[in-house]
Amino acid sequence: MNDEVSPNFIKEFIKELFLELSISLPEGENSKKIIDALENRITARLFLEMITMLTPEQAQKINVDIDSQTPDAEKLVMQLSKEIPYFPARIAQVLATIRVELIEDLKELQNSPSQE
Amino acid sequence: MPEKEFPTLAYEAAHTLERKGKDNEQVDILLREIEGGRLTAFDGASVSLLQEVLKEEGKMKVFSYLLDKFDDIFLWLGTHIGSKYAGYEVGKAVTKSELGKEYAKRKASEYLSRVLRLDIEEGILGKIKEEIQERLIQPIIDSFLAPLAGQVAVIPSAIGGYLGGSVLTGGTVELLRERKRSHGFERIAILIEASEQMIRDRKRKDNTQDPRDEIIAYHEAIIEDPKRLGHHLINEEWLQFVAAARKAKVDKLRELTRSPAIVAADKTKEGLTIQENLVETIIHAQERITQADQEMAIAILSQFDKELEKLDDPVEKYIKGNHRIFPKITRYSKAFVRGGVNATGVPLLFRMVKGTIKIGVRVMSGGFIKL
């Protein structure tokens, strides 16, 4: 798979956001846990939004793929995305919306007092 | 009538969008540069300015704005170019849209060469250009002549259209116009409207229950009752209901992360600092939000599962579909999303703008700035 293009874009997206909001967490478990949790949230949201961009027929292909012995989600979405109008712009829009939500949701981390 | 040059069009486009009330200092800077005549539609000088701006706080705002607005800008351009060529005679029959497309392609390539003309190895430059051209510019050019302005349209045949609009990204639920009595959707519609209003207005009448809790509870109750509380919903109605319940859940969960009083007071565990407690609360909220989104994805997928077609009851479809899909969804959705995001130009642009991909820029004056 084309990993050179995007080793983990979503993690980068999150770390960039932390930088922007001046959020710094103490090294170790907390930092990893929260980034993982945010990554899962963003993934789930993007997955959901992508599904709503599909037609029912296209969605059925996902059902078939998930159920198969050798699912290939990346290949399927590459195919499907070609059939979705304005796909890149819509993904960018979703990311922009998620970013706005995260800024609100992570505000408290900005203000929280530092560890003793 | 003299032909308007691309730079002027871009300026006007950006200004039109600016007037739509986007409050963004960094964008003001860019626009002022355009006015000063220095920013001629994304040449080297503008990119270096962009880079300066991006070093500052709020840089993602500009990036998001540009990415968000690229398609608007080209759409706007498309409309004007189209009308400009209305009376144009060519040797053979050529449509307006073809001319518009050709023009836009030419300008887009010029833009690309100017911006990316840089001091990087030929091979990488070629690859970047190709990726941007194919994944970002081309779809934007293709979306050029769509009859819509502003937001990207919801395609009626897509599931999102089915759901009645921008339910997920914060729009209001446009409920189905025709509500069959026998389905009993009317009762649910009332719950949905109350919940949506609460989410929108952020207040409720004193001493009444939170309508978000009501719809969440009702949703649970319908799933648990084999008789579905007397409702006979069809797929669309069920999905609208699920979407509204999800929205209520997510709204409540996001509240958890915000009020300092809630965060400090709620479930303070022995030995945890305030910050640790805060992080725990935030993680807990993210996990529940993730779950709500996964459940909705499954609710949708199960309605379009050929294996479950024979079932009448959308809830039954959901229960069966959930059984099959839920164990696999975390892993599957990760791969799916990775592929989907990589299929756009977004990660590439993101890294270029962040400076992860190091390129230099040739400035108009002949100097060289390392980005």
Side-chain angles (χ1 to χ4, degrees), chain B residues 27-138:
Chain B
V27 174
D28 282 342
I29 297 174
L30 282 175
L31 287 177
R32 262 184 272 125
E33 286 298 304
I34 292 175
E35 279 172 64
R38 277 171 289 166
L39 190 68
T40 54
F42 320 120
D43 64 0
S46 69
V47 172
S48 68
L49 169 70
L50 185 62
Q51 186 59 25
E52 279 311 302
V53 161
L54 291 178
K55 284 195 193 119
E56 253 118 58
E57 256 196 59
K59 59 187 174 179
M60 268 302 281
K61 256 192 269 181
V62 181
F63 172 71
S64 303
Y65 178 84
L66 285 179
L67 205 54
D68 196 40
K69 294 305 176 189
F70 261 143
D71 58 330
D72 280 11
I73 290 173
F74 279 106
L75 279 173
W76 190 95
L77 288 173
T79 318
H80 281 70
I81 290 167
S83 60
K84 180 171 78 68
Y85 283 110
Y88 198 81
E89 309 268 18
V90 202
K92 49 182 175 150
V94 176
T95 62
K96 259 192 296 189
S97 66
E98 279 166 21
L99 280 176
K101 265 189 180 167
E102 278 316 301
Y103 185 81
K105 260 194 216 165
R106 185 161 48 94
K107 285 303 177 183
S109 315
E110 279 172 20
Y111 153 52
L112 270 181
S113 338
R114 269 190 308 223
V115 163
L116 295 182
R117 180 195 6 204
L118 318 169
D119 223 48
I120 53 179
E121 288 123 18
E122 253 338 289
I124 298 178
L125 171 61
K127 185 166 202 273
I128 292 177
K129 262 166 127 169
E130 203 180 286
E131 299 230 39
I132 293 187
Q133 177 71 31
E134 187 194 312
R135 288 178 176 182
L136 196 62
I137 303 289
Q138 194 59 49

Side-chain angles (χ1 to χ4, degrees), chain B residues 21-299:
Chain B
K22 223 57 202 161
D23 184 26
N24 188 317
E25 278 173 14
Q26 287 81 7
V27 174
D28 282 342
I29 297 174
L30 282 175
L31 287 177
R32 262 184 272 125
E33 286 298 304
I34 292 175
E35 279 172 64
R38 277 171 289 166
L39 190 68
T40 54
F42 320 120
D43 64 0
S46 69
V47 172
S48 68
L49 169 70
L50 185 62
Q51 186 59 25
E52 279 311 302
V53 161
L54 291 178
K55 284 195 193 119
E56 253 118 58
E57 256 196 59
K59 59 187 174 179
M60 268 302 281
K61 256 192 269 181
V62 181
F63 172 71
S64 303
Y65 178 84
L66 285 179
L67 205 54
D68 196 40
K69 294 305 176 189
F70 261 143
D71 58 330
D72 280 11
I73 290 173
F74 279 106
L75 279 173
W76 190 95
L77 288 173
T79 318
H80 281 70
I81 290 167
S83 60
K84 180 171 78 68
Y85 283 110
Y88 198 81
E89 309 268 18
V90 202
K92 49 182 175 150
V94 176
T95 62
K96 259 192 296 189
S97 66
E98 279 166 21
L99 280 176
K101 265 189 180 167
E102 278 316 301
Y103 185 81
K105 260 194 216 165
R106 185 161 48 94
K107 285 303 177 183
S109 315
E110 279 172 20
Y111 153 52
L112 270 181
S113 338
R114 269 190 308 223
V115 163
L116 295 182
R117 180 195 6 204
L118 318 169
D119 223 48
I120 53 179
E121 288 123 18
E122 253 338 289
I124 298 178
L125 171 61
K127 185 166 202 273
I128 292 177
K129 262 166 127 169
E130 203 180 286
E131 299 230 39
I132 293 187
Q133 177 71 31
E134 187 194 312
R135 288 178 176 182
L136 196 62
I137 303 289
Q138 194 59 49
I140 289 171
I141 291 172
D142 287 345
S143 72
F144 227 148
L145 298 159
L148 42 94
Q151 296 299 313
V152 169
V154 172
I155 312 301
S157 60
I159 292 166
Y162 206 66
L163 284 169
S166 50
V167 172
L168 296 177
T169 49
T172 31
V173 177
E174 267 191 40
L175 296 171
L176 294 170
R177 295 283 148 229
E178 301 213 0
R179 297 170 202 174
K180 297 228 158 51
R181 277 216 126 106
S182 54
H183 298 185
F185 189 64
E186 193 64 41
R187 263 183 288 152
I188 292 175
I190 291 170
L191 287 178
I192 295 177
E193 272 158 1
S195 175
E196 294 286 305
Q197 184 170 55
M198 168 76 187
I199 293 171
R200 223 175 22 242
D201 302 338
R202 299 258 142 251
K203 45 178 199 253
R204 64 184 123 136
K205 303 188 174 98
D206 293 311
N207 302 326
T208 57
Q209 204 188 335
D210 187 338
R212 294 172 301 174
D213 287 327
E214 286 197 77
I215 195 174
I216 292 169
Y218 204 69
H219 174 249
E220 294 293 308
I222 285 196
I223 294 182
E224 310 229 323
D225 180 11
K227 298 225 161 76
R228 313 299 166 221
L229 303 178
H231 294 281
H232 299 281
L233 303 178
I234 54 173
N235 287 10
E236 292 104 313
E237 290 165 342
W238 165 246
L239 286 179
Q240 289 212 345
F241 182 30
V242 173
R246 171 206 162 265
K247 211 158 153 205
K249 268 186 226 172
V250 171
D251 197 59
K252 292 209 65 147
L253 286 165
R254 292 182 62 214
E255 259 179 12
L256 277 183
T257 65
R258 271 176 272 169
S259 165
I262 293 176
V263 164
D266 188 40
K267 307 190 209 89
T268 331
K269 295 191 190 146
E270 289 276 337
L272 283 192
T273 63
I274 292 178
Q275 210 219 29
E276 280 169 342
N277 188 40
L278 177 55
V279 168
E280 290 260 339
T281 307
I282 289 178
I283 290 175
H284 167 88
Q286 304 314 306
E287 287 169 355
R288 294 287 169 279
I289 291 172
T290 299
Q291 191 181 348
D293 282 2
Q294 287 177 338
E295 281 169 0
M296 173 134 196
I298 292 172

Side-chain angles (χ1 to χ4, degrees), chain A residues 54-70:
Chain A
L54 302 175
T55 62
E57 294 71 37
Q58 290 166 330
Q60 166 60 351
K61 294 186 181 167
I62 298 183
N63 281 316
V64 170
D65 194 45
I66 291 187
D67 231 16
S68 85
Q69 296 284 12
T70 48

